[in-house]
Amino acid sequence: MKVAFVGKGGSGKTTLSSLFVRHLAGRGLPVVAIDADINQHLGVALGLDEDRAAKIPALGDRLPEIKEYLRGDNPRISSASAMVKTTPPGTGSRLLRFRGDDPVHAAGQEVDGVTLLATGPFNDDDLGVACYHSKTGAVELYLNHLVDKPGEYVIVDMTAGADTFASGLFTRFDLMFLVAEPTRKGVGVYRQYTEYARDYDIAIRVVGNKVQTDDDVDYLREHVGGDLLTWIGQSAAVRALEQGRDGVVLEDGNVAALDRMRAEVDARVQDWDEFQRLAVEFHVKNARSWASRAAGEDLEEQVDPGFRFPSAYRV
Protein backbone atom coordinates (compact mmCIF):
# COMPACT_ATOMS: atom_id res chain seq x y z
CA MET A 1 0.00 0.00 0.00
CA LYS A 2 1.31 3.42 -0.98
CA VAL A 3 0.98 6.07 1.75
CA ALA A 4 1.96 9.75 1.69
CA PHE A 5 2.58 12.02 4.66
CA VAL A 6 1.80 15.62 3.73
CA GLY A 7 1.27 18.91 5.52
CA LYS A 8 2.60 22.38 5.98
CA GLY A 9 6.22 23.00 6.86
CA GLY A 10 6.86 22.46 10.56
CA SER A 11 3.71 20.40 11.11
CA GLY A 12 5.75 17.36 12.10
CA LYS A 13 5.09 15.17 9.06
CA THR A 14 8.65 13.83 8.99
CA THR A 15 8.43 12.96 12.67
CA LEU A 16 5.06 11.24 12.20
CA SER A 17 6.11 9.40 9.06
CA SER A 18 9.21 8.10 10.86
CA LEU A 19 7.10 7.03 13.85
CA PHE A 20 4.73 5.17 11.52
CA VAL A 21 7.63 3.49 9.71
CA ARG A 22 9.15 2.42 13.03
CA HIS A 23 5.73 1.20 14.20
CA LEU A 24 5.29 -1.03 11.15
CA ALA A 25 8.85 -2.33 11.08
CA GLY A 26 8.73 -3.03 14.81
CA ARG A 27 5.90 -5.47 14.12
CA GLY A 28 7.93 -7.28 11.50
CA LEU A 29 6.06 -5.75 8.55
CA PRO A 30 7.90 -5.02 5.25
CA VAL A 31 8.43 -1.30 4.65
CA VAL A 32 9.97 0.91 1.99
CA ALA A 33 10.38 4.48 3.27
CA ILE A 34 11.04 7.31 0.83
CA ASP A 35 12.36 10.73 1.77
CA ALA A 36 10.84 13.00 -0.89
CA ASP A 37 11.08 16.20 1.12
CA ILE A 38 13.22 19.09 -0.10
CA ASN A 39 14.76 18.96 3.39
CA GLN A 40 16.11 15.43 3.67
CA HIS A 41 15.63 14.48 7.33
CA LEU A 42 13.80 11.13 7.26
CA GLY A 43 16.99 9.08 7.52
CA VAL A 44 18.07 10.87 10.67
CA ALA A 45 14.53 10.56 12.07
CA LEU A 46 14.80 6.80 11.53
CA GLY A 47 18.04 6.65 13.51
CA LEU A 48 20.84 7.16 10.99
CA ASP A 49 23.60 9.56 11.83
CA GLU A 50 23.85 12.53 9.48
CA ASP A 51 26.90 11.19 7.62
CA ARG A 52 25.22 7.87 6.77
CA ALA A 53 21.98 9.60 5.83
CA ALA A 54 23.84 11.95 3.49
CA LYS A 55 25.46 8.99 1.68
CA ILE A 56 22.19 7.38 0.56
CA PRO A 57 22.27 7.46 -3.27
CA ALA A 58 19.89 10.11 -4.56
CA LEU A 59 17.15 8.79 -6.85
CA GLY A 60 17.00 12.23 -8.45
CA ASP A 61 20.59 11.77 -9.64
CA ARG A 62 19.80 8.35 -11.14
CA LEU A 63 16.88 9.28 -13.33
CA PRO A 64 18.51 8.25 -16.64
CA GLU A 65 19.31 4.77 -15.28
CA ILE A 66 15.86 4.41 -13.70
CA LYS A 67 14.11 5.50 -16.89
CA GLU A 68 16.14 3.17 -19.07
CA TYR A 69 15.27 0.25 -16.81
CA LEU A 70 11.55 1.06 -16.59
CA ARG A 71 11.29 1.67 -20.33
CA GLY A 72 12.28 -1.93 -21.05
CA ASP A 73 11.33 -2.69 -24.65
CA ASN A 74 8.14 -0.63 -24.67
CA PRO A 75 7.91 0.39 -28.36
CA ARG A 76 5.83 3.49 -27.54
CA ILE A 77 8.72 5.14 -25.66
CA SER A 78 11.33 6.25 -28.16
CA SER A 79 14.13 6.69 -25.62
CA ALA A 80 14.76 7.04 -21.91
CA SER A 81 15.22 10.78 -22.40
CA ALA A 82 11.67 10.97 -23.78
CA MET A 83 10.26 9.60 -20.53
CA VAL A 84 8.82 12.17 -18.13
CA LYS A 85 7.67 11.76 -14.57
CA THR A 86 4.10 10.98 -15.64
CA THR A 87 4.98 8.41 -18.32
CA PRO A 88 2.75 5.43 -17.52
CA PRO A 89 3.74 1.79 -18.01
CA GLY A 90 2.69 -0.04 -21.16
CA THR A 91 3.35 -3.32 -22.92
CA GLY A 92 7.08 -4.00 -22.70
CA SER A 93 7.66 -1.73 -19.68
CA ARG A 94 9.39 -3.22 -16.68
CA LEU A 95 7.18 -3.27 -13.60
CA LEU A 96 8.75 -3.07 -10.16
CA ARG A 97 8.14 -5.58 -7.42
CA PHE A 98 8.15 -4.43 -3.83
CA ARG A 99 11.77 -4.41 -2.58
CA GLY A 100 12.74 -6.13 -5.80
CA ASP A 101 16.04 -6.52 -7.64
CA ASP A 102 16.06 -3.29 -9.66
CA PRO A 103 17.98 0.01 -9.90
CA VAL A 104 15.50 1.83 -7.65
CA HIS A 105 15.55 -0.48 -4.66
CA ALA A 106 19.27 -1.08 -5.15
CA ALA A 107 19.81 2.56 -4.18
CA GLY A 108 18.22 1.97 -0.78
CA GLN A 109 19.85 1.91 2.62
CA GLU A 110 18.70 -0.77 5.06
CA VAL A 111 17.78 0.74 8.43
CA ASP A 112 16.49 -1.66 11.10
CA GLY A 113 14.64 -3.76 8.55
CA VAL A 114 13.39 -0.79 6.51
CA THR A 115 14.51 -0.05 2.95
CA LEU A 116 15.13 3.70 2.92
CA LEU A 117 15.20 5.56 -0.40
CA ALA A 118 15.89 9.26 -0.87
CA THR A 119 15.22 11.67 -3.71
CA GLY A 120 18.27 13.68 -2.74
CA PRO A 121 18.61 17.28 -1.57
CA PHE A 122 18.13 20.39 -3.66
CA ASN A 123 21.70 21.59 -3.96
CA ASP A 124 23.68 24.49 -5.41
CA ASP A 125 23.95 22.82 -8.83
CA ASP A 126 20.16 22.88 -9.14
CA LEU A 127 19.74 26.58 -8.46
CA GLY A 128 18.37 28.45 -11.44
CA VAL A 129 18.22 25.37 -13.68
CA ALA A 130 15.77 22.98 -12.01
CA CYS A 131 12.89 22.77 -9.59
CA TYR A 132 12.45 20.16 -6.89
CA HIS A 133 9.93 18.35 -9.10
CA SER A 134 12.95 17.05 -11.00
CA LYS A 135 13.81 15.10 -7.83
CA THR A 136 10.31 13.91 -6.94
CA GLY A 137 9.83 12.80 -10.56
CA ALA A 138 11.83 9.69 -9.65
CA VAL A 139 9.26 8.89 -6.96
CA GLU A 140 6.37 9.35 -9.38
CA LEU A 141 7.94 7.01 -11.94
CA TYR A 142 8.64 4.48 -9.18
CA LEU A 143 5.05 4.55 -7.93
CA ASN A 144 3.68 4.45 -11.50
CA HIS A 145 5.51 1.18 -12.16
CA LEU A 146 5.31 -0.46 -8.72
CA VAL A 147 3.04 -3.48 -8.23
CA ASP A 148 2.71 -3.74 -4.48
CA LYS A 149 0.26 -5.81 -2.47
CA PRO A 150 -1.68 -5.37 0.77
CA GLY A 151 0.68 -5.96 3.66
CA GLU A 152 3.55 -4.26 1.80
CA TYR A 153 3.99 -0.65 2.88
CA VAL A 154 5.54 2.20 0.90
CA ILE A 155 5.67 5.30 3.12
CA VAL A 156 6.60 8.60 1.45
CA ASP A 157 7.52 11.73 3.39
CA MET A 158 6.48 14.40 0.89
CA THR A 159 7.73 17.95 0.56
CA ALA A 160 5.77 20.58 2.49
CA GLY A 161 2.75 22.38 1.09
CA ALA A 162 0.83 21.45 -2.05
CA ASP A 163 3.71 20.31 -4.28
CA THR A 164 2.17 16.83 -4.31
CA PHE A 165 -0.41 18.28 -6.70
CA ALA A 166 2.10 19.66 -9.20
CA SER A 167 1.48 16.63 -11.41
CA GLY A 168 -0.47 13.41 -10.95
CA LEU A 169 1.68 12.37 -7.99
CA PHE A 170 -1.17 12.75 -5.52
CA THR A 171 -3.16 10.06 -7.37
CA ARG A 172 -0.39 7.50 -6.89
CA PHE A 173 -1.22 6.92 -3.22
CA ASP A 174 -3.75 4.58 -1.65
CA LEU A 175 -4.00 6.96 1.30
CA MET A 176 -2.68 10.38 2.28
CA PHE A 177 -2.11 11.28 5.91
CA LEU A 178 -2.32 15.03 6.30
CA VAL A 179 -0.48 16.07 9.44
CA ALA A 180 -2.16 19.12 10.95
CA GLU A 181 -1.49 21.14 14.06
CA PRO A 182 -4.57 22.50 15.84
CA THR A 183 -4.06 25.98 14.38
CA ARG A 184 -5.59 28.06 11.60
CA LYS A 185 -2.55 27.47 9.41
CA GLY A 186 -2.68 23.74 10.11
CA VAL A 187 -6.29 23.33 9.03
CA GLY A 188 -5.81 25.77 6.15
CA VAL A 189 -3.58 23.22 4.40
CA TYR A 190 -6.34 20.64 4.87
CA ARG A 191 -8.83 22.85 3.01
CA GLN A 192 -6.32 23.38 0.21
CA TYR A 193 -5.65 19.65 -0.18
CA THR A 194 -9.28 18.61 -0.14
CA GLU A 195 -10.12 21.24 -2.75
CA TYR A 196 -7.44 19.89 -5.08
CA ALA A 197 -8.35 16.25 -4.51
CA ARG A 198 -12.16 16.43 -4.46
CA ASP A 199 -12.64 15.40 -8.10
CA TYR A 200 -10.36 12.35 -7.88
CA ASP A 201 -11.70 10.30 -4.96
CA ILE A 202 -8.36 10.55 -3.16
CA ALA A 203 -8.49 9.33 0.44
CA ILE A 204 -7.19 11.97 2.85
CA ARG A 205 -7.17 11.40 6.59
CA VAL A 206 -6.06 14.06 9.05
CA VAL A 207 -3.68 13.16 11.85
CA GLY A 208 -3.50 15.86 14.48
CA ASN A 209 -0.07 16.61 15.86
CA LYS A 210 1.23 18.48 18.90
CA VAL A 211 -2.16 18.05 20.54
CA GLN A 212 -2.16 19.12 24.19
CA THR A 213 -5.77 19.41 25.34
CA ASP A 214 -9.31 18.33 24.53
CA ASP A 215 -9.83 21.83 23.15
CA ASP A 216 -7.18 21.07 20.51
CA VAL A 217 -9.07 17.93 19.49
CA ASP A 218 -12.35 19.85 19.38
CA TYR A 219 -10.73 22.50 17.20
CA LEU A 220 -9.55 19.91 14.71
CA ARG A 221 -12.94 18.20 14.66
CA GLU A 222 -14.66 21.53 14.06
CA HIS A 223 -12.51 22.30 11.01
CA VAL A 224 -11.88 18.90 9.40
CA GLY A 225 -14.91 16.96 10.55
CA GLY A 226 -14.97 13.23 9.93
CA ASP A 227 -11.59 13.31 8.16
CA LEU A 228 -9.91 13.54 11.57
CA LEU A 229 -8.63 10.01 12.05
CA THR A 230 -6.53 10.31 15.19
CA TRP A 231 -3.96 12.52 16.85
CA ILE A 232 -0.55 12.43 18.49
CA GLY A 233 -0.17 14.12 21.84
CA GLN A 234 2.80 16.02 23.15
CA SER A 235 5.37 13.31 23.77
CA ALA A 236 8.49 13.07 25.88
CA ALA A 237 9.29 9.84 24.02
CA VAL A 238 9.20 11.55 20.63
CA ARG A 239 11.48 14.29 21.96
CA ALA A 240 13.89 11.61 23.20
CA LEU A 241 13.87 9.91 19.77
CA GLU A 242 14.61 13.24 18.11
CA GLN A 243 17.54 13.65 20.49
CA GLY A 244 18.91 10.30 19.31
CA ARG A 245 18.32 8.34 22.50
CA ASP A 246 18.02 4.54 22.42
CA GLY A 247 15.47 2.33 24.12
CA VAL A 248 12.66 4.86 23.93
CA VAL A 249 9.13 3.56 24.57
CA LEU A 250 6.25 5.53 23.07
CA GLU A 251 3.28 6.42 25.27
CA ASP A 252 0.27 4.07 25.09
CA GLY A 253 -2.03 6.72 23.65
CA ASN A 254 0.35 7.50 20.83
CA VAL A 255 0.87 3.80 20.08
CA ALA A 256 -2.90 3.46 19.82
CA ALA A 257 -2.94 6.35 17.34
CA LEU A 258 -0.36 4.59 15.17
CA ASP A 259 -2.41 1.38 15.36
CA ARG A 260 -5.43 3.35 14.15
CA MET A 261 -3.40 4.67 11.22
CA ARG A 262 -2.26 1.20 10.25
CA ALA A 263 -5.84 -0.10 10.40
CA GLU A 264 -6.92 2.71 8.07
CA VAL A 265 -4.20 1.80 5.58
CA ASP A 266 -5.05 -1.89 5.73
CA ALA A 267 -8.72 -1.13 5.08
CA ARG A 268 -7.97 0.46 1.71
CA VAL A 269 -8.72 -1.49 -1.47
CA GLN A 270 -6.38 -1.08 -4.43
CA ASP A 271 -8.12 -0.47 -7.77
CA TRP A 272 -5.44 -1.02 -10.40
CA ASP A 273 -7.63 -0.10 -13.36
CA GLU A 274 -8.44 3.26 -11.77
CA PHE A 275 -4.78 3.69 -10.84
CA GLN A 276 -3.78 3.33 -14.50
CA ARG A 277 -6.66 5.48 -15.74
CA LEU A 278 -5.54 8.41 -13.59
CA ALA A 279 -1.91 7.89 -14.63
CA VAL A 280 -2.97 8.23 -18.27
CA GLU A 281 -5.18 11.24 -17.56
CA PHE A 282 -2.39 13.24 -15.94
CA HIS A 283 0.19 12.14 -18.46
CA VAL A 284 -1.99 13.46 -21.28
CA LYS A 285 -2.44 16.73 -19.39
CA ASN A 286 1.31 17.09 -18.93
CA ALA A 287 2.01 16.13 -22.54
CA ARG A 288 -0.36 18.79 -23.83
CA SER A 289 0.74 21.53 -21.45
CA TRP A 290 4.53 21.22 -21.63
CA ALA A 291 6.07 17.76 -21.96
CA SER A 292 5.58 17.14 -25.68
CA ARG A 293 6.99 20.54 -26.48
CA ALA A 294 9.99 19.95 -24.21
CA ALA A 295 10.67 16.48 -25.67
CA GLY A 296 10.16 17.51 -29.28
CA GLU A 297 7.67 14.69 -29.89
CA ASP A 298 4.07 13.82 -29.11
CA LEU A 299 4.23 12.13 -25.71
CA GLU A 300 0.55 11.25 -25.82
CA GLU A 301 1.71 8.42 -28.07
CA GLN A 302 3.35 6.85 -25.02
CA VAL A 303 -0.09 5.84 -23.73
CA ASP A 304 -0.82 2.16 -24.35
CA PRO A 305 -4.63 1.87 -24.40
CA GLY A 306 -4.48 -1.90 -24.09
CA PHE A 307 -2.23 -2.05 -21.04
CA ARG A 308 -3.55 -3.43 -17.76
CA PHE A 309 -1.69 -4.37 -14.62
CA PRO A 310 -1.31 -8.12 -14.07
CA SER A 311 -4.58 -9.77 -13.05
CA ALA A 312 -3.12 -10.82 -9.69
CA TYR A 313 -3.07 -7.16 -8.66
CA ARG A 314 -6.33 -5.90 -10.14
CA VAL A 315 -9.55 -5.70 -8.18
Side-chain angles (χ1 to χ4, degrees):
M1 305 296 280
K2 308 175 186 75
V3 180
F5 278 77
V6 297
K8 78 174 185 65
S11 64
K13 63 180 183 57
T14 297
T15 297
L16 259 67
S17 60
S18 67
L19 286 176
F20 192 55
V21 167
R22 287 175 184 261
H23 184 73
L24 296 173
R27 283 148 181 78
L29 299 169
V31 185
V32 171
I34 304 179
D35 191 346
D37 195 352
I38 194 168
N39 298 307
Q40 300 268 285
H41 297 313
L42 184 59
V44 173
L46 290 174
L48 291 180
D49 62 49
E50 292 187 2
D51 287 341
R52 282 186 67 199
K55 291 177 182 177
I56 298 174
L59 296 180
D61 295 339
R62 296 188 168 202
L63 269 173
E65 178 187 359
I66 292 171
K67 289 179 178 180
E68 190 62 55
Y69 180 84
L70 296 177
R71 175 190 171 215
D73 57 6
N74 185 336
R76 293 177 174 272
I77 303 174
S78 62
S79 66
S81 62
M83 288 185 75
V84 293
K85 59 189 176 182
T86 54
T87 296
T91 302
S93 296
R94 286 192 178 99
L95 300 179
L96 301 171
R97 303 290 174 171
F98 180 83
R99 298 172 83 171
D101 181 15
D102 57 71
V104 183
H105 293 104
Q109 168 77 55
E110 293 300 308
V111 185
D112 295 332
V114 174
T115 300
L116 175 62
L117 302 171
T119 57
F122 196 73
N123 53 45
D124 291 343
D125 292 339
D126 299 314
L127 295 176
V129 298
C131 65
Y132 197 65
H133 301 152
S134 64
K135 307 285 188 180
T136 57
V139 177
E140 190 161 355
L141 281 167
Y142 169 70
L143 296 176
N144 263 348
H145 291 76
L146 178 68
V147 283
D148 57 315
K149 297 181 292 187
E152 298 173 339
Y153 300 88
V154 179
I155 311 300
V156 184
D157 180 23
M158 288 300 304
T159 192
D163 270 8
T164 313
F165 295 91
S167 65
L169 181 55
F170 73 103
T171 69
R172 304 298 83 198
F173 298 104
D174 298 297
L175 182 62
M176 300 177 76
F177 286 132
L178 192 151
V179 181
E181 300 169 86
T183 64
R184 285 182 291 180
K185 288 183 178 179
V187 299
V189 173
Y190 163 79
R191 288 191 290 269
Q192 185 182 34
Y193 266 66
T194 52
E195 176 65 22
Y196 286 145
R198 63 191 173 99
D199 294 331
Y200 297 98
D201 194 29
I202 304 303
I204 298 177
R205 299 293 180 265
V206 175
V207 179
N209 193 32
K210 306 177 187 178
V211 170
Q212 300 184 40
T213 65
D214 290 343
D215 287 343
D216 286 343
V217 177
D218 291 341
Y219 181 86
L220 289 168
R221 282 202 180 106
E222 176 186 353
H223 289 279
V224 309
D227 284 340
L228 178 63
L229 176 68
T230 189
W231 54 90
I232 300 291
Q234 292 280 45
S235 170
V238 171
R239 177 58 59 88
L241 284 171
E242 291 177 334
Q243 292 171 345
R245 299 183 192 177
D246 296 323
V248 176
V249 178
L250 203 61
E251 299 86 353
D252 289 346
N254 289 334
V255 171
L258 295 170
D259 280 333
R260 182 72 186 89
M261 293 165 65
R262 177 190 164 190
E264 189 71 13
V265 174
D266 289 345
R268 299 298 301 168
V269 175
Q270 295 171 302
D271 185 339
W272 288 101
D273 289 339
E274 179 67 1
F275 183 80
Q276 180 69 0
R277 186 190 71 78
L278 288 172
V280 169
E281 177 179 334
F282 279 92
H283 180 64
V284 169
K285 285 182 179 180
N286 275 3
R288 292 176 179 175
S289 66
W290 66 271
S292 290
R293 182 173 62 254
E297 60 182 275
D298 183 6
L299 297 191
E300 289 186 58
E301 295 296 323
Q302 292 180 341
V303 173
D304 181 352
F307 175 79
R308 301 184 80 194
F309 280 92
S311 59
Y313 296 91
R314 289 189 284 106
V315 175

